[in-house]
Amino acid sequence: MSKKVVRVLGIESSCDETSASVVEKKNDKIRVLSNIVKSQVDIHKIYGGVVPELAARAHSDVIDQIVKVAMQKARIKFKDLDAIAATAGPGLLGGLLVGVVLGKTLSHQLKKPFIAVNHLEGHALSIKLEKKINYPYLLLLVSGGHTEFTIIKNFNSYKRIGTTIDDALGEAFDKTARLLKLGYPGGPEIEKYAAQGDKNRFVLPKPLINEKNAHFSFAGLKSAVANIVSKNRCTEKFKKDMAASFQATINEIIFNKTQKAICEYKRTVKSKKDLKIVVAGGVAANKSIRCSLRQLEVLENCEFLFPSMKYCTDNGAMIALAGIERFERKKFNKLSFKPRPRWPLDKDAIFMKGKRAVEG
Ligand code: KG4
Ligand code: ZN
């Protein structure tokens, strides 16, 4: 398809952010015309985590308004859109239904194609909202719900080479923060406390670190923190030292596993081009992890790319962008498409939750 200007509305409601965005591609140049995000953090923070039923209700309360504002901000009319894209999985079913039903309704009403987007594809491509990048590249996705290394070989050609067998990395940050009676979301709180603490005070386990694969496990780390917390008074000094020890342990695990993912990438991709590694998802905001990964650039002759924060966390723009890529390839979906709470990016990837990483 050789249409010069393509404009897609992207709707995101898979977790705890309601978002809508219009993205335009004109002569190969990507422009985000609007990206409206409403976080539900105030609703969920008293529970220390996302409550699915409350999330679904909150999405349905605001989604119409969010789309309206996104269209106004983009200064275009619905008739100027080429397609409607909505996150159709993976994520919480109630939230997915809200976005998908609205996407299908608009598509039907406007007689424009409906595109069901995999949320992980959105994260994988999000870097393209700001930078030109050629395939292939390596993705490290670290968020509240996902932790994985995936080789982005080409558009729609993905190979997952590492994942978590239990908690996601963001979940580990949130659970540790809860144990230390810090606020929610826990990641930024841990990072803040860690900067003032003694990282050598507590020794924490580094699960799977000696295995040759790029898989993660964080559940044992959280249990170790719980054990230490139960034996200590939770003073400010204790919280800072615990947060610092946790952060340092995470940095080491991520550093180590990224080296293993790079080895696996080089075995799989016989490309002569410089290796680019995109780090996306909410945890990619962590400056300490960024800093630690940067040290690999010289060691492994690679370059790390971090999308800006607004495109690291969940947003409609990455969904609209994935929608544009699909629109250009005429990859449309029927209105009978059902949301998929579980929807791996690499359809051949085996389900690892609860499994030992054995291939190492
Ligand atoms: O991508 P995201 O906004 O939502 C999804 O899970 O899809 O990621 C949220 C996660 C939370 O677990 C939060 O604690 C974590 O990202 N996070 C951080 C930081 N900022 C957010 N983790 C570590 N350090 C941070 N600075
Ligand atoms: Zn996400």
Side-chain angles (χ1 to χ4, degrees):
M1 183 167 301
S2 60
K3 197 167 181 296
K4 282 234 158 53
V5 187
V6 180
R7 293 190 195 99
V8 171
L9 170 68
I11 301 172
E12 162 59 39
S13 59
S14 65
C15 189
D16 60 347
E17 259 102 26
T18 317
S19 180
S21 159
V22 180
V23 176
E24 176 185 271
K25 185 168 177 183
K26 195 174 185 178
N27 301 326
D28 249 17
K29 203 169 171 315
I30 299 288
R31 230 163 39 105
V32 178
L33 303 185
S34 64
N35 183 41
I36 310 298
V37 183
K38 171 117 181 52
S39 165
Q40 301 178 354
V41 69
D42 288 341
I43 296 171
H44 303 295
K45 70 178 174 202
I46 52 168
Y47 305 100
V50 180
V51 183
E53 173 66 20
L54 297 182
R57 287 181 195 211
H59 285 304
S60 85
D61 284 347
V62 300
I63 200 146
D64 293 5
Q65 192 60 21
I66 297 286
V67 168
K68 196 170 154 193
V69 176
M71 293 301 295
Q72 281 167 351
K73 183 100 194 291
R75 291 172 178 275
I76 62 160
K77 301 255 178 332
F78 278 107
K79 69 173 176 44
D80 302 324
L81 291 170
D82 292 286
I84 317 295
T87 300
L92 301 170
L93 183 60
L96 293 172
L97 278 166
V98 172
V100 165
V101 167
L102 177 58
K104 288 177 179 177
T105 308
L106 286 171
S107 149
H108 179 72
Q109 189 71 20
L110 301 165
K111 300 189 175 50
K112 311 271 183 187
F114 168 69
I115 300 170
V117 171
N118 183 315
H119 180 81
L120 306 177
E121 183 168 85
H123 278 301
L125 303 180
S126 61
I127 190 73
K128 289 167 171 267
L129 290 165
E130 303 172 288
K131 288 193 177 87
K132 281 232 177 285
I133 181 168
N134 293 321
Y135 300 112
Y137 56 90
L138 178 62
L139 169 76
L140 167 58
L141 174 60
V142 275
S143 72
H146 304 279
T147 304
E148 63 180 68
F149 286 108
T150 298
I151 303 175
I152 312 299
K153 294 192 203 170
N154 211 323
F155 179 76
N156 210 24
S157 174
Y158 311 118
K159 183 174 166 52
R160 196 190 69 194
I161 56 170
T163 188
T164 174
I165 63 165
D166 41 56
D167 294 348
L169 182 54
E171 207 178 343
F173 270 96
D174 293 338
K175 286 180 175 171
T176 299
R178 213 179 313 157
L179 288 168
L180 295 178
K181 301 187 176 58
L182 302 177
Y184 174 83
E189 294 289 315
I190 296 266
E191 185 173 15
K192 210 164 59 199
Y193 271 72
Q196 306 163 55
D198 171 10
K199 66 177 187 315
N200 297 316
R201 178 159 165 205
F202 301 107
V203 177
L204 295 170
K206 297 174 197 111
L208 307 188
I209 201 130
N210 293 323
E211 300 202 10
K212 286 196 201 95
N213 55 50
H215 295 307
F216 298 99
S217 165
F218 297 111
L221 191 53
K222 180 206 66 194
S223 309
V225 173
N227 191 27
I228 299 170
V229 168
S230 72
K231 293 183 185 139
N232 284 271
R233 275 186 41 241
C234 205
T235 61
E236 283 297 290
K237 166 95 177 89
F238 171 76
K239 290 183 192 183
K240 288 173 185 168
D241 292 347
M242 191 73 246
S245 305
F246 177 82
Q247 176 81 64
T249 307
I250 293 294
N251 290 358
E252 202 181 321
I253 294 171
I254 301 287
F255 186 94
N256 176 293
K257 290 295 179 175
T258 303
Q259 278 190 306
K260 286 167 180 161
I262 291 172
C263 278
E264 180 77 34
Y265 178 95
K266 286 181 177 161
R267 267 201 300 271
T268 313
V269 178
K270 308 271 181 271
S271 167
K272 292 271 173 290
K273 276 192 293 169
D274 290 347
L275 168 58
K276 297 215 190 300
I277 306 174
V278 174
V279 189
V283 185
N286 191 288
K287 291 193 194 69
S288 190
I289 294 177
R290 287 182 181 215
C291 235
S292 147
L293 284 176
R294 288 255 185 245
Q295 293 168 22
L296 272 177
E297 290 190 324
V298 180
L299 216 61
E300 298 284 351
N301 192 22
C302 59
E303 184 189 352
F304 283 91
L305 302 173
F306 300 91
S308 12
M309 254 339 283
K310 61 182 178 209
Y311 301 134
C312 263
T313 50
D314 290 349
N315 65 89
M318 66 183 192
I319 304 306
L321 178 69
I324 289 179
E325 299 276 334
R326 293 197 161 258
F327 177 84
E328 290 182 326
R329 292 161 177 88
K330 291 197 176 163
K331 287 185 174 290
F332 309 144
N333 297 94
K334 295 202 175 105
L335 294 187
S336 56
F337 189 97
K338 288 193 182 67
R340 299 175 180 170
R342 215 182 84 67
W343 187 5
L345 201 48
D346 171 1
K347 57 183 182 332
D348 298 323
I350 47 169
F351 189 60
M352 290 294 290
K353 285 268 162 89
K355 285 205 170 113
R356 289 272 308 144
V358 287
E359 64 261 43

